[in-house]
Amino acid sequence: MSFKDYLSRDVSSVFLNTEEFAESVFLDMGAGAREFAVSIDTEAMSHNANLDELDRSSGEVYFFVSVSEFKEKFNVLPRSGDALRFNTVPCTVIKVTETHGVLAVTLEFSA
């Protein structure tokens, strides 16, 4: 098994496991909210990562989500400029990158 194979396996079993590092959130791209396990990068954010009380004054949320899970639930991947609700909070997708089966997504809170 290659290093990339180990990374891919660990995406769901460790990195995006809600019993380890991830948190459960609801994302909605306009077709109804769906639950996802995401890992929020609190170092990239300037506020406390309490998902129930997001501090919109910070402006952004940066999180990681499984590519396969996102495709399975929405049939598309988010792109820069897309509207997306993060736990019912309206946001705009600012940046999306994909590495080893994981999407890194930056959202900006909409006015």
Side-chain angles (χ1 to χ4, degrees):
M1 187 180 272
S2 73
F3 180 68
K4 287 183 180 182
D5 292 332
Y6 283 110
L7 283 177
S8 294
R9 186 186 69 192
D10 286 347
V11 165
S12 296
S13 65
V14 178
F15 187 60
L16 294 175
N17 180 337
T18 56
E19 293 180 12
E20 296 288 337
F21 299 107
E23 299 186 44
S24 182
V25 301
F26 288 90
L27 302 177
D28 184 355
M29 292 188 65
R34 290 162 174 87
E35 189 172 12
F36 288 87
V38 304
S39 181
I40 297 173
D41 187 345
T42 56
E43 296 298 318
M45 296 166 32
S46 61
H47 63 81
N48 184 333
N50 180 344
L51 297 180
D52 295 325
E53 299 176 17
L54 286 172
D55 178 1
R56 296 181 199 185
S57 65
S58 67
E60 295 184 348
V61 166
Y62 185 70
F63 66 92
F64 302 94
V65 64
S66 165
V67 170
S68 61
E69 183 181 13
F70 209 96
K71 281 182 181 177
E72 177 185 318
K73 292 182 178 178
F74 285 122
N75 296 318
V76 296
L77 293 178
R79 295 178 299 168
S80 184
D82 284 350
L84 189 144
R85 288 187 174 271
F86 186 92
N87 280 346
T88 73
V89 178
C91 300
T92 301
V93 177
I94 300 301
K95 183 178 178 182
V96 179
T97 57
E98 179 182 344
T99 306
H100 304 295
V102 176
L103 290 176
V105 182
T106 304
L107 300 178
E108 181 177 68
F109 296 112
S110 300

Short mmCIF file of all heavy atoms in Angstrom, two decimals, residues 23-29 33-34 36 38-41 45 47 49-52 54 56 60-65 83-92 105-109:
data_model
loop_
_atom_site.label_atom_id
_atom_site.label_comp_id
_atom_site.label_asym_id
_atom_site.label_seq_id
_atom_site.Cartn_x
_atom_site.Cartn_y
_atom_site.Cartn_z
N GLU A 23 -16.40 17.69 12.97
CA GLU A 23 -17.68 18.07 13.56
C GLU A 23 -18.76 17.90 12.50
O GLU A 23 -18.49 18.00 11.31
CB GLU A 23 -17.63 19.53 14.02
CG GLU A 23 -16.56 19.76 15.07
CD GLU A 23 -16.60 21.15 15.64
OE1 GLU A 23 -17.71 21.65 15.93
OE2 GLU A 23 -15.53 21.75 15.78
N SER A 24 -19.96 17.65 12.93
CA SER A 24 -21.08 17.47 12.02
C SER A 24 -21.72 18.83 11.75
O SER A 24 -22.05 19.56 12.68
CB SER A 24 -22.10 16.52 12.65
OG SER A 24 -23.15 16.29 11.77
N VAL A 25 -21.85 19.17 10.46
CA VAL A 25 -22.48 20.43 10.06
C VAL A 25 -23.45 20.16 8.92
O VAL A 25 -23.40 19.11 8.29
CB VAL A 25 -21.45 21.50 9.62
CG1 VAL A 25 -20.47 21.80 10.73
CG2 VAL A 25 -20.74 21.10 8.36
N PHE A 26 -24.31 21.11 8.65
CA PHE A 26 -25.23 21.02 7.53
C PHE A 26 -24.80 22.03 6.47
O PHE A 26 -24.60 23.21 6.76
CB PHE A 26 -26.67 21.29 7.97
CG PHE A 26 -27.23 20.16 8.78
CD1 PHE A 26 -27.09 20.13 10.16
CD2 PHE A 26 -27.86 19.10 8.14
CE1 PHE A 26 -27.59 19.07 10.89
CE2 PHE A 26 -28.36 18.03 8.87
CZ PHE A 26 -28.23 18.02 10.26
N LEU A 27 -24.64 21.52 5.24
CA LEU A 27 -24.30 22.36 4.10
C LEU A 27 -25.46 22.30 3.12
O LEU A 27 -26.08 21.26 2.94
CB LEU A 27 -23.03 21.85 3.42
CG LEU A 27 -21.77 21.78 4.29
CD1 LEU A 27 -20.61 21.19 3.50
CD2 LEU A 27 -21.41 23.14 4.84
N ASP A 28 -25.73 23.44 2.48
CA ASP A 28 -26.83 23.51 1.53
C ASP A 28 -26.39 24.35 0.33
O ASP A 28 -26.02 25.51 0.48
CB ASP A 28 -28.05 24.14 2.19
CG ASP A 28 -29.28 24.16 1.31
OD1 ASP A 28 -29.19 23.78 0.13
OD2 ASP A 28 -30.33 24.58 1.82
N MET A 29 -26.43 23.72 -0.85
CA MET A 29 -26.09 24.44 -2.09
C MET A 29 -27.35 24.79 -2.87
O MET A 29 -27.30 24.97 -4.07
CB MET A 29 -25.13 23.61 -2.93
CG MET A 29 -23.77 23.48 -2.31
SD MET A 29 -22.56 22.71 -3.40
CE MET A 29 -22.43 23.91 -4.71
N ALA A 33 -30.51 21.04 2.73
CA ALA A 33 -29.35 20.84 3.60
C ALA A 33 -29.02 19.36 3.73
O ALA A 33 -29.92 18.53 3.82
CB ALA A 33 -29.60 21.46 4.97
N ARG A 34 -27.73 19.08 3.74
CA ARG A 34 -27.25 17.72 3.95
C ARG A 34 -26.16 17.75 5.01
O ARG A 34 -25.39 18.70 5.09
CB ARG A 34 -26.71 17.15 2.64
CG ARG A 34 -27.86 16.89 1.65
CD ARG A 34 -27.36 16.74 0.26
NE ARG A 34 -28.40 16.35 -0.67
CZ ARG A 34 -29.20 17.18 -1.30
NH1 ARG A 34 -29.16 18.47 -1.04
NH2 ARG A 34 -30.08 16.75 -2.17
N PHE A 36 -22.75 16.76 6.89
CA PHE A 36 -21.38 16.40 6.54
C PHE A 36 -20.50 16.38 7.77
O PHE A 36 -20.71 17.15 8.71
CB PHE A 36 -20.78 17.43 5.57
CG PHE A 36 -21.32 17.38 4.18
CD1 PHE A 36 -22.46 18.10 3.86
CD2 PHE A 36 -20.70 16.64 3.21
CE1 PHE A 36 -22.97 18.06 2.58
CE2 PHE A 36 -21.21 16.59 1.92
CZ PHE A 36 -22.35 17.31 1.60
N VAL A 38 -17.06 17.57 8.83
CA VAL A 38 -16.04 18.51 8.37
C VAL A 38 -15.05 18.77 9.49
O VAL A 38 -15.37 18.67 10.67
CB VAL A 38 -16.64 19.86 7.88
CG1 VAL A 38 -17.67 19.65 6.79
CG2 VAL A 38 -17.21 20.66 9.02
N SER A 39 -13.86 19.11 9.08
CA SER A 39 -12.83 19.53 10.04
C SER A 39 -12.62 21.02 9.82
O SER A 39 -12.25 21.44 8.71
CB SER A 39 -11.54 18.75 9.80
OG SER A 39 -10.56 19.13 10.73
N ILE A 40 -12.88 21.81 10.84
CA ILE A 40 -12.77 23.26 10.73
C ILE A 40 -11.38 23.68 11.15
O ILE A 40 -10.88 23.27 12.20
CB ILE A 40 -13.84 23.95 11.59
CG1 ILE A 40 -15.21 23.55 11.06
CG2 ILE A 40 -13.66 25.46 11.58
CD1 ILE A 40 -16.34 24.01 11.91
N ASP A 41 -10.76 24.50 10.32
CA ASP A 41 -9.42 25.00 10.62
C ASP A 41 -9.55 26.26 11.46
O ASP A 41 -9.69 27.35 10.92
CB ASP A 41 -8.66 25.27 9.33
CG ASP A 41 -7.21 25.63 9.58
OD1 ASP A 41 -6.85 25.95 10.74
OD2 ASP A 41 -6.43 25.61 8.63
N MET A 45 -9.03 30.86 11.16
CA MET A 45 -10.15 31.74 11.48
C MET A 45 -9.78 32.59 12.70
O MET A 45 -9.01 32.19 13.54
CB MET A 45 -11.41 30.92 11.77
CG MET A 45 -11.87 30.15 10.55
SD MET A 45 -13.09 28.86 10.85
CE MET A 45 -14.05 29.42 12.19
N HIS A 47 -11.82 33.57 15.09
CA HIS A 47 -12.85 33.51 16.12
C HIS A 47 -12.93 32.13 16.72
O HIS A 47 -12.33 31.18 16.23
CB HIS A 47 -14.22 33.91 15.55
CG HIS A 47 -14.70 32.98 14.48
ND1 HIS A 47 -15.32 31.79 14.75
CD2 HIS A 47 -14.65 33.07 13.14
CE1 HIS A 47 -15.62 31.18 13.63
NE2 HIS A 47 -15.22 31.94 12.64
N ALA A 49 -14.47 28.60 17.30
CA ALA A 49 -15.16 27.74 16.34
C ALA A 49 -16.41 27.09 16.91
O ALA A 49 -16.70 25.95 16.64
CB ALA A 49 -14.21 26.67 15.84
N ASN A 50 -17.16 27.81 17.70
CA ASN A 50 -18.44 27.29 18.17
C ASN A 50 -19.42 27.40 17.00
O ASN A 50 -19.86 28.47 16.64
CB ASN A 50 -18.95 28.11 19.36
CG ASN A 50 -20.27 27.61 19.88
OD1 ASN A 50 -20.97 26.85 19.21
ND2 ASN A 50 -20.62 28.03 21.08
N LEU A 51 -19.75 26.26 16.40
CA LEU A 51 -20.53 26.26 15.17
C LEU A 51 -21.95 26.75 15.36
O LEU A 51 -22.60 27.15 14.41
CB LEU A 51 -20.55 24.86 14.57
CG LEU A 51 -19.19 24.34 14.14
CD1 LEU A 51 -19.33 22.95 13.57
CD2 LEU A 51 -18.55 25.26 13.15
N ASP A 52 -22.46 26.72 16.57
CA ASP A 52 -23.82 27.18 16.80
C ASP A 52 -23.88 28.70 16.88
O ASP A 52 -24.93 29.29 16.72
CB ASP A 52 -24.39 26.57 18.08
CG ASP A 52 -24.53 25.07 17.94
OD1 ASP A 52 -24.85 24.59 16.84
OD2 ASP A 52 -24.32 24.38 18.95
N LEU A 54 -21.54 31.13 15.22
CA LEU A 54 -20.45 31.63 14.40
C LEU A 54 -20.37 33.15 14.49
O LEU A 54 -21.36 33.84 14.41
CB LEU A 54 -20.66 31.23 12.94
CG LEU A 54 -20.40 29.76 12.62
CD1 LEU A 54 -20.85 29.47 11.20
CD2 LEU A 54 -18.96 29.41 12.80
N ARG A 56 -19.86 36.17 12.81
CA ARG A 56 -19.86 36.64 11.43
C ARG A 56 -18.95 37.84 11.21
O ARG A 56 -18.62 38.16 10.09
CB ARG A 56 -21.28 36.96 10.99
CG ARG A 56 -22.13 35.72 10.98
CD ARG A 56 -23.51 36.01 10.54
NE ARG A 56 -24.38 34.92 10.97
CZ ARG A 56 -25.63 34.83 10.66
NH1 ARG A 56 -26.20 35.74 9.94
NH2 ARG A 56 -26.34 33.82 11.08
N GLU A 60 -15.02 34.81 7.64
CA GLU A 60 -14.74 33.58 6.91
C GLU A 60 -14.80 32.33 7.76
O GLU A 60 -14.59 32.37 8.97
CB GLU A 60 -13.35 33.65 6.27
CG GLU A 60 -13.21 34.69 5.20
CD GLU A 60 -11.86 34.66 4.53
OE1 GLU A 60 -10.93 33.99 5.03
OE2 GLU A 60 -11.72 35.34 3.50
N VAL A 61 -15.06 31.21 7.08
CA VAL A 61 -14.96 29.87 7.66
C VAL A 61 -14.10 29.06 6.71
O VAL A 61 -14.27 29.14 5.48
CB VAL A 61 -16.35 29.19 7.78
CG1 VAL A 61 -16.21 27.71 8.05
CG2 VAL A 61 -17.16 29.84 8.87
N TYR A 62 -13.15 28.33 7.26
CA TYR A 62 -12.25 27.50 6.47
C TYR A 62 -12.40 26.07 6.98
O TYR A 62 -12.18 25.82 8.16
CB TYR A 62 -10.82 28.01 6.65
CG TYR A 62 -9.78 27.31 5.80
CD1 TYR A 62 -9.75 27.50 4.42
CD2 TYR A 62 -8.84 26.50 6.39
CE1 TYR A 62 -8.78 26.88 3.66
CE2 TYR A 62 -7.87 25.88 5.62
CZ TYR A 62 -7.85 26.07 4.25
OH TYR A 62 -6.90 25.46 3.49
N PHE A 63 -12.78 25.14 6.08
CA PHE A 63 -13.01 23.77 6.53
C PHE A 63 -12.59 22.76 5.48
O PHE A 63 -12.39 23.09 4.31
CB PHE A 63 -14.47 23.56 6.92
CG PHE A 63 -15.45 23.65 5.79
CD1 PHE A 63 -15.84 22.52 5.08
CD2 PHE A 63 -16.01 24.86 5.43
CE1 PHE A 63 -16.75 22.60 4.04
CE2 PHE A 63 -16.92 24.95 4.40
CZ PHE A 63 -17.29 23.82 3.70
N PHE A 64 -12.48 21.50 5.92
CA PHE A 64 -12.12 20.38 5.07
C PHE A 64 -13.29 19.40 5.04
O PHE A 64 -13.92 19.15 6.06
CB PHE A 64 -10.88 19.66 5.61
CG PHE A 64 -9.69 20.56 5.75
CD1 PHE A 64 -9.42 21.19 6.95
CD2 PHE A 64 -8.85 20.77 4.66
CE1 PHE A 64 -8.32 22.02 7.08
CE2 PHE A 64 -7.75 21.61 4.78
CZ PHE A 64 -7.48 22.23 5.98
N VAL A 65 -13.56 18.84 3.85
CA VAL A 65 -14.64 17.89 3.68
C VAL A 65 -14.22 16.87 2.63
O VAL A 65 -13.41 17.18 1.74
CB VAL A 65 -15.96 18.62 3.28
CG1 VAL A 65 -15.83 19.30 1.94
CG2 VAL A 65 -17.15 17.69 3.32
N ALA A 83 -23.05 30.05 -4.03
CA ALA A 83 -23.73 30.30 -2.76
C ALA A 83 -23.81 28.98 -2.01
O ALA A 83 -24.06 27.94 -2.60
CB ALA A 83 -25.12 30.86 -3.01
N LEU A 84 -23.58 29.02 -0.71
CA LEU A 84 -23.64 27.82 0.12
C LEU A 84 -24.05 28.24 1.53
O LEU A 84 -23.57 29.25 2.04
CB LEU A 84 -22.27 27.14 0.15
CG LEU A 84 -22.19 25.77 0.78
CD1 LEU A 84 -21.18 24.92 0.02
CD2 LEU A 84 -21.77 25.85 2.24
N ARG A 85 -24.95 27.49 2.12
CA ARG A 85 -25.33 27.74 3.52
C ARG A 85 -24.54 26.80 4.41
O ARG A 85 -24.49 25.61 4.16
CB ARG A 85 -26.82 27.54 3.73
CG ARG A 85 -27.65 28.62 3.11
CD ARG A 85 -29.13 28.48 3.49
NE ARG A 85 -29.88 29.59 3.00
CZ ARG A 85 -30.07 30.72 3.69
NH1 ARG A 85 -29.59 30.86 4.90
NH2 ARG A 85 -30.78 31.70 3.17
N PHE A 86 -23.94 27.36 5.44
CA PHE A 86 -23.15 26.62 6.41
C PHE A 86 -23.93 26.67 7.72
O PHE A 86 -24.00 27.72 8.35
CB PHE A 86 -21.77 27.27 6.56
CG PHE A 86 -20.82 26.52 7.44
CD1 PHE A 86 -19.95 25.60 6.89
CD2 PHE A 86 -20.79 26.75 8.81
CE1 PHE A 86 -19.07 24.92 7.70
CE2 PHE A 86 -19.91 26.07 9.61
CZ PHE A 86 -19.04 25.15 9.06
N ASN A 87 -24.56 25.53 8.09
CA ASN A 87 -25.43 25.52 9.27
C ASN A 87 -26.45 26.67 9.23
O ASN A 87 -26.60 27.41 10.17
CB ASN A 87 -24.63 25.58 10.57
CG ASN A 87 -24.08 24.23 10.95
OD1 ASN A 87 -24.47 23.20 10.42
ND2 ASN A 87 -23.14 24.23 11.87
N THR A 88 -27.11 26.82 8.12
CA THR A 88 -28.15 27.82 7.83
C THR A 88 -27.61 29.24 7.61
O THR A 88 -28.39 30.13 7.28
CB THR A 88 -29.28 27.87 8.88
OG1 THR A 88 -28.81 28.48 10.07
CG2 THR A 88 -29.85 26.48 9.15
N VAL A 89 -26.32 29.47 7.79
CA VAL A 89 -25.74 30.80 7.60
C VAL A 89 -25.38 30.97 6.12
O VAL A 89 -24.61 30.18 5.57
CB VAL A 89 -24.48 30.99 8.47
CG1 VAL A 89 -23.86 32.35 8.23
CG2 VAL A 89 -24.80 30.80 9.95
N PRO A 90 -25.94 31.99 5.44
CA PRO A 90 -25.62 32.19 4.03
C PRO A 90 -24.16 32.61 3.84
O PRO A 90 -23.68 33.52 4.52
CB PRO A 90 -26.57 33.29 3.58
CG PRO A 90 -27.29 33.76 4.77
CD PRO A 90 -26.90 32.94 5.95
N CYS A 91 -23.51 31.95 2.89
CA CYS A 91 -22.10 32.21 2.61
C CYS A 91 -21.85 32.18 1.11
O CYS A 91 -22.67 31.68 0.34
CB CYS A 91 -21.20 31.15 3.25
SG CYS A 91 -21.32 31.03 5.03
N THR A 92 -20.69 32.70 0.71
CA THR A 92 -20.21 32.61 -0.66
C THR A 92 -18.91 31.85 -0.64
O THR A 92 -18.04 32.11 0.20
CB THR A 92 -19.99 34.01 -1.26
OG1 THR A 92 -21.23 34.72 -1.23
CG2 THR A 92 -19.50 33.93 -2.70
N VAL A 105 -12.14 24.24 1.77
CA VAL A 105 -13.11 25.24 1.32
C VAL A 105 -13.04 26.49 2.21
O VAL A 105 -13.07 26.38 3.43
CB VAL A 105 -14.55 24.65 1.36
CG1 VAL A 105 -15.56 25.68 0.85
CG2 VAL A 105 -14.64 23.36 0.56
N THR A 106 -12.97 27.64 1.56
CA THR A 106 -13.03 28.90 2.28
C THR A 106 -14.35 29.57 1.93
O THR A 106 -14.66 29.75 0.74
CB THR A 106 -11.88 29.84 1.90
OG1 THR A 106 -10.63 29.18 2.13
CG2 THR A 106 -11.91 31.13 2.71
N LEU A 107 -15.13 29.89 2.95
CA LEU A 107 -16.42 30.57 2.76
C LEU A 107 -16.35 31.96 3.38
O LEU A 107 -15.71 32.15 4.41
CB LEU A 107 -17.54 29.81 3.48
CG LEU A 107 -17.83 28.38 3.07
CD1 LEU A 107 -18.94 27.81 3.95
CD2 LEU A 107 -18.20 28.30 1.62
N GLU A 108 -17.04 32.88 2.76
CA GLU A 108 -17.20 34.23 3.32
C GLU A 108 -18.65 34.42 3.66
O GLU A 108 -19.52 34.08 2.85
CB GLU A 108 -16.74 35.27 2.29
CG GLU A 108 -16.83 36.69 2.80
CD GLU A 108 -16.29 37.66 1.77
OE1 GLU A 108 -16.93 37.82 0.71
OE2 GLU A 108 -15.23 38.23 2.02
N PHE A 109 -18.92 34.93 4.85
CA PHE A 109 -20.30 35.17 5.25
C PHE A 109 -20.92 36.23 4.36
O PHE A 109 -20.32 37.26 4.10
CB PHE A 109 -20.37 35.62 6.70
CG PHE A 109 -19.91 34.56 7.66
CD1 PHE A 109 -18.75 34.74 8.37
CD2 PHE A 109 -20.62 33.39 7.84
CE1 PHE A 109 -18.30 33.77 9.25
CE2 PHE A 109 -20.18 32.41 8.70
CZ PHE A 109 -19.02 32.61 9.41
#
